[in-house]
Amino acid sequence: MSQEQPQRPRADQFPEQQPIKYGDVFDVSGELASQPIKPRDAALMQATENQTLGQTQKGSPASVMQSAAAVNTATGLVHRDDISDIARNQGVSISETKVGGNRLITESVGSQVVGQFVEPDVPMNDPGLALDKSAITIGEALEASALTPAGDKPLDQSDAAAIQAAEMKATGKNQTEPGGLGAIAQSAATRNTRTMPDLQKTTLADVVSGAREKLGADKAVTREDAEGVIGAELRNKADMRTTPGGVAATMAAAATLNQNKMSG
């Protein structure tokens, strides 16, 4: 699938009389891929996310399913009380596994994974974190991702989106700084789509190395910061999974380490 998947589907993006199916927005196969996304499927996933995670994440499978189901209902292709056979018979589920100090969240419809990401295992409220001088900053977390195996991979749109989100969290602004780190990342990601040999492409490490000097401002990483970056990366990944060792993962790890320092 393309990196630019329809995360917020609209009716005009799909052929007339064709409902949005799981295979249109998720990296799934078999019977599930051909099933239309129905309102009660989305409601089940939202309820499961709320119960497990405390809220529906931006860009999460539940939010994508809600958008798709809304389009399907608005076009009259499904009824608002409809539920797919797979969701009814096999259910939806969210499992979590500890990876270091973080939680690896896996979301599934039936037996197929529709999303996977790392969530920082820190309390929802972490007041005072930004005042801790020993805390890991957003710039330091970005630089850390350059040192992981993910640092060697060609930078793509999901990386650029995560870097842009991190920059906005660091600066406190709701826009990408002209000539800033986010703009550099977006330009590199766009250029990489036009460059064929991987060896000639700009890597994640090329962009985030020296991030502290490239950012207009910096601050300690909080849970809220990490969740914003995770959402940005997920919304731009065809398989709805964060990159191991990538920007979202290192931000999540930094948020957890910071919280451990505060409580230690």
Side-chain angles (χ1 to χ4, degrees), residues 137-185:
T137 68
I138 289 173
E140 288 171 334
L142 288 171
E143 290 178 357
S145 66
L147 305 177
T148 73
D152 295 329
K153 81 178 190 70
L155 183 134
D156 60 26
Q157 290 294 339
S158 68
D159 302 316
I163 292 168
Q164 287 175 318
E167 180 185 52
M168 288 189 282
K169 293 293 185 181
T171 62
K173 298 179 180 178
N174 292 322
Q175 61 186 22
T176 301
E177 293 283 286
L181 187 61
I184 293 170

Side-chain angles (χ1 to χ4, degrees), residues 122-144:
V122 297
M124 288 300 293
N125 297 313
D126 38 18
L129 190 59
L131 302 178
D132 185 350
K133 293 181 180 179
S134 67
I136 300 169
T137 68
I138 289 173
E140 288 171 334
L142 288 171
E143 290 178 357

